[in-house]
Amino acid sequence: MRPMVPGALAAPIVLMLLASGLRSAPAAEAELSLHERIDRLIEAKLDAPPAAPATDGEFLRRAYLDLAGTIPSPEEARAFLDDPSPYKRDRLVDRLLELPSYARRMQYVFDATLLERRGDQHVPRADWEAFLLRCFAENVPYDEFVRRILEADGSEPPEQRAPAKFILERGADPDLLTRDIGRLFLGRDLQCAQCHDHPLIEDYKQAHYYGLRAFLDRTSLFTDPKTSRAMLAEKAEGETTFQSVFRKSVTHTTAPRILDLEPIADPELPENEAERYEVAPAKDVRSIPKYSRFDQLAPSLASDDVDAFSRTIANRLWALMMKRGLVHPLDLDHADNPPSHPELLDLLANSIRAMDYDIKAFLRELARTRAYRRSSEPPPGASEDLVEPSRFAVAGLEPLSPEQLAWSLMQALGVVDAHRQQAEADLDALEADLCDLCREDRDRIANRPWRIEQMVHDRLAGNVRGFVQIFGASEGQPDSSVESSVHQALFLSNGPLVQSWLNPSGTNLTARLAAIEDPAAVAEPLYLAVLSRRPSEEERAEVVSYLESRGADQRAAAVRELAWALVTCSEFRFDH
């Protein structure tokens, strides 16, 4: 169990301060790594020792799920568990962040976050997913990523229209967009401030709502009659006005503005209306003004001047790793719902801004904290206050997302490995005629894992969509709103898809286990494949007892039932 301030770290700091006589305590604190500063702020608020560090198996599985979106292969699990290096957890995090599966994981996370399971009315999902994957593969800074989304109006060439899906799939509805932009990028659900200042949250003003809406009020959805593509059209004039339902005699006018920042004034319009447009309004014509209020949205919101922007993404990424936000719920950031650790949220917001919104570097620091690496088992005799999730003294629990569950099941039962082997063979066949120089090309070698990942993903994406339909939220709702249902239980217990993966076939998990003659040798590969850990002695004995009770002629059915029991247990279904 770790002390509140690790003595091995505290002593050198004290000696340095005494020796120099120049550095202040705040200066020494600032020289610490971000993950150490995070832990000091967390542990300063604990009045009892936190949970012990996670076991290697717990950490391995957690890191894979959070950063790669799936569990490790049994070979990867065995190698990590057997590695004696004290630095293996840091090395694992660094490696996971460079894998193609990291970009895929973030594609899934931000797709569910930004689109909330909306369909494909205007922009093909494949294009949107490719855009997200490319952004995270290239580690595009978050502020640039958001600007690409909020500046896209659908008029781009077909191969560049993907970012416009965020706006177009909401029908360019100014009220829906105002609410969702506030929720997702500023941490403020302003919906109840549409008709008056929020009745329960003093910080949320009607002026905030209409300041955001003013960026969008002049836009409308236009469908090009020649291409049938949807895009935004915009007027050059039109004011955003609002009245409180409690004071209808007073009409307010607002220019575009982000919360309490200064309004963005329009330039003076030419008296001649035709001179206000690049393309004037007309039937079946997309109007394009010379000055666009919509164009001001992306740079105004995704800006260092907007504290709520960096604060919100820092809180969302913290919640992604720790299973709960410092501000919770994530879209209700206000004075009456303060963060559990105000200084920590300020530190995280300032840090991600100083990192130039490098999501990968930020996640690396979170994954190195003691808070992230704690066990999900509370310390013996822990008080209810200590294990309260907002204390972060114990690792959080969270059901696997639909995508995590799908890929983890396919990984555990051998579906992914079979398709990866086939993808590798197919790629080798395609490259069989390459010359030696081409075969040794560094770029080709570096790109090979990405090509294989894409091939495997394309072959199994239909299975993932099936899990999203059963375990994902309804359209326009966050996945956090989903509750367990009978349909989900039946899907895992009796669904033909999962049952087909459990049936011994080829080199899948149950086929490999059924071929093992010694019952005592079955438990370890089973537990490594499904739960990413070795079984306890009691678990080994249970497996042996069950297999012996069924007899050698029932070995295939018995290992199938054992595998089914593990993939449907709570230890598998939760990220812990």
Side-chain angles (χ1 to χ4, degrees), residues 17-35:
L17 290 174
L18 291 174
S20 68
L22 299 175
R23 297 180 186 175
S24 64
E29 182 76 14
E31 290 181 1
L32 295 174
S33 61
L34 176 58
H35 61 266

Side-chain angles (χ1 to χ4, degrees), residues 114-135:
L114 298 178
L115 278 192
E116 295 180 328
R117 308 299 181 187
R118 287 180 169 84
D120 300 339
Q121 186 175 356
H122 299 296
V123 176
R125 169 157 295 278
D127 294 351
W128 166 253
E129 291 177 347
F131 160 72
L132 293 177
L133 184 69
R134 186 168 58 253
C135 285

Side-chain angles (χ1 to χ4, degrees), residues 518-555:
D518 181 4
V522 171
E524 179 161 314
L526 171 63
Y527 272 75
L528 285 172
V530 179
L531 299 181
S532 308
R533 64 174 176 84
R534 290 190 167 94
S536 66
E537 290 304 314
E538 182 180 359
E539 290 165 334
R540 290 178 189 271
E542 289 175 348
V543 169
V544 171
S545 175
Y546 188 74
L547 292 175
E548 290 180 342
S549 72
R550 297 296 298 274
D553 58 334
Q554 292 292 313
R555 175 63 55 82

Side-chain angles (χ1 to χ4, degrees), residues 188-308:
R188 288 158 170 77
D189 188 346
L190 299 171
Q191 183 180 35
C192 288
Q194 184 175 354
C195 301
H196 45 71
D197 288 349
H198 199 292
L200 301 176
I201 301 174
E202 186 176 351
D203 292 352
Y204 293 1
K205 304 298 184 184
Q206 193 179 17
H208 295 157
Y209 183 93
Y210 283 94
L212 269 179
R213 182 174 159 155
F215 289 100
L216 305 159
D217 262 350
R218 294 177 177 176
T219 61
S220 60
L221 196 65
F222 169 79
T223 302
D224 188 326
K226 296 179 180 179
T227 63
S228 299
R229 292 205 303 266
M231 58 192 74
L232 293 186
E234 188 173 1
K235 297 182 295 184
E237 59 280 309
E239 296 303 324
T240 295
T241 61
F242 61 97
Q243 298 171 328
S244 169
V245 295
F246 302 122
R247 295 190 64 190
K248 293 185 177 180
S249 60
V250 180
T251 298
H252 303 274
T253 301
T254 183
R257 65 187 300 185
I258 304 295
L259 302 177
D260 292 318
L261 295 181
E262 288 297 315
I264 300 171
D266 290 343
E268 186 173 344
L269 293 175
E271 291 187 10
N272 185 338
E273 183 176 349
E275 295 179 3
R276 302 173 186 177
Y277 287 91
E278 298 287 348
V279 179
K283 179 178 173 55
D284 292 336
V285 172
R286 173 178 175 257
S287 56
I288 305 174
K290 289 185 177 179
Y291 173 79
S292 166
R293 278 191 171 183
F294 174 76
D295 285 350
Q296 313 311 309
L297 173 60
S300 298
L301 185 143
S303 164
D304 286 350
D305 295 332
V306 183
D307 290 339

Side-chain angles (χ1 to χ4, degrees), residues 61-382:
R61 186 175 187 276
R62 182 186 304 164
Y64 260 88
L65 284 169
D66 292 341
L67 298 177
T70 186
I71 60 173
S73 71
E75 294 77 20
E76 291 165 330
R78 183 179 288 107
F80 181 82
L81 296 175
D82 291 343
D83 185 351
S85 171
Y87 308 109
K88 66 181 181 180
R89 297 191 181 193
D90 288 347
R91 290 206 304 259
L92 174 66
V93 169
D94 291 343
R95 185 171 68 84
L96 290 175
L97 288 170
E98 299 306 321
L99 292 178
S101 51
Y102 161 77
R104 186 71 66 185
R105 160 67 170 160
M106 300 306 284
Q107 170 208 304
Y108 285 138
V109 167
F110 279 83
D111 174 36
T113 298
L114 298 178
L115 278 192
E116 295 180 328
R117 308 299 181 187
R118 287 180 169 84
D120 300 339
Q121 186 175 356
H122 299 296
V123 176
R125 169 157 295 278
D127 294 351
W128 166 253
E129 291 177 347
F131 160 72
L132 293 177
L133 184 69
R134 186 168 58 253
C135 285
F136 291 106
E138 297 172 358
N139 200 28
V140 171
Y142 177 72
D143 57 341
E144 172 63 23
F145 170 72
V146 172
R147 284 194 289 270
R148 291 184 189 182
I149 290 170
L150 294 183
E151 69 187 10
D153 62 14
S155 66
E156 301 82 6
E159 66 275 9
Q160 299 174 15
R161 293 182 77 240
K165 190 172 180 70
F166 178 85
I167 287 175
L168 297 182
E169 299 301 348
R170 289 170 168 85
D173 183 308
D175 287 316
L176 181 56
L177 283 168
T178 296
R179 183 193 182 193
D180 285 354
I181 288 170
R183 287 174 50 234
L184 299 174
F185 302 119
L186 299 173
R188 288 158 170 77
D189 188 346
L190 299 171
Q191 183 180 35
C192 288
Q194 184 175 354
C195 301
H196 45 71
D197 288 349
H198 199 292
L200 301 176
I201 301 174
E202 186 176 351
D203 292 352
Y204 293 1
K205 304 298 184 184
Q206 193 179 17
H208 295 157
Y209 183 93
Y210 283 94
L212 269 179
R213 182 174 159 155
F215 289 100
L216 305 159
D217 262 350
R218 294 177 177 176
T219 61
S220 60
L221 196 65
F222 169 79
T223 302
D224 188 326
K226 296 179 180 179
T227 63
S228 299
R229 292 205 303 266
M231 58 192 74
L232 293 186
E234 188 173 1
K235 297 182 295 184
E237 59 280 309
E239 296 303 324
T240 295
T241 61
F242 61 97
Q243 298 171 328
S244 169
V245 295
F246 302 122
R247 295 190 64 190
K248 293 185 177 180
S249 60
V250 180
T251 298
H252 303 274
T253 301
T254 183
R257 65 187 300 185
I258 304 295
L259 302 177
D260 292 318
L261 295 181
E262 288 297 315
I264 300 171
D266 290 343
E268 186 173 344
L269 293 175
E271 291 187 10
N272 185 338
E273 183 176 349
E275 295 179 3
R276 302 173 186 177
Y277 287 91
E278 298 287 348
V279 179
K283 179 178 173 55
D284 292 336
V285 172
R286 173 178 175 257
S287 56
I288 305 174
K290 289 185 177 179
Y291 173 79
S292 166
R293 278 191 171 183
F294 174 76
D295 285 350
Q296 313 311 309
L297 173 60
S300 298
L301 185 143
S303 164
D304 286 350
D305 295 332
V306 183
D307 290 339
F309 179 73
S310 56
R311 180 180 171 97
T312 297
I313 186 55
N315 190 51
R316 283 188 173 275
L317 293 175
W318 176 270
L320 179 68
M321 299 293 281
M322 306 295 182
K323 317 302 182 282
R324 179 188 173 92
L326 295 165
V327 172
H328 185 82
L330 303 181
D331 56 4
L332 286 178
D333 188 1
H334 57 89
D336 293 329
N337 183 41
S340 58
H341 298 71
E343 289 181 62
L344 175 54
L345 185 53
D346 288 343
L347 170 65
L348 295 179
N350 292 334
S351 296
I352 197 168
R353 194 162 52 234
M355 291 175 174
D356 294 327
Y357 295 96
D358 184 333
I359 289 180
K360 190 179 290 188
F362 189 78
L363 292 178
R364 179 180 288 108
E365 288 297 311
L366 297 188
R368 290 185 174 182
T369 62
R370 292 187 292 276
Y372 180 74
R373 298 183 179 192
R374 294 198 226 286
S375 173
S376 57
E377 288 289 331

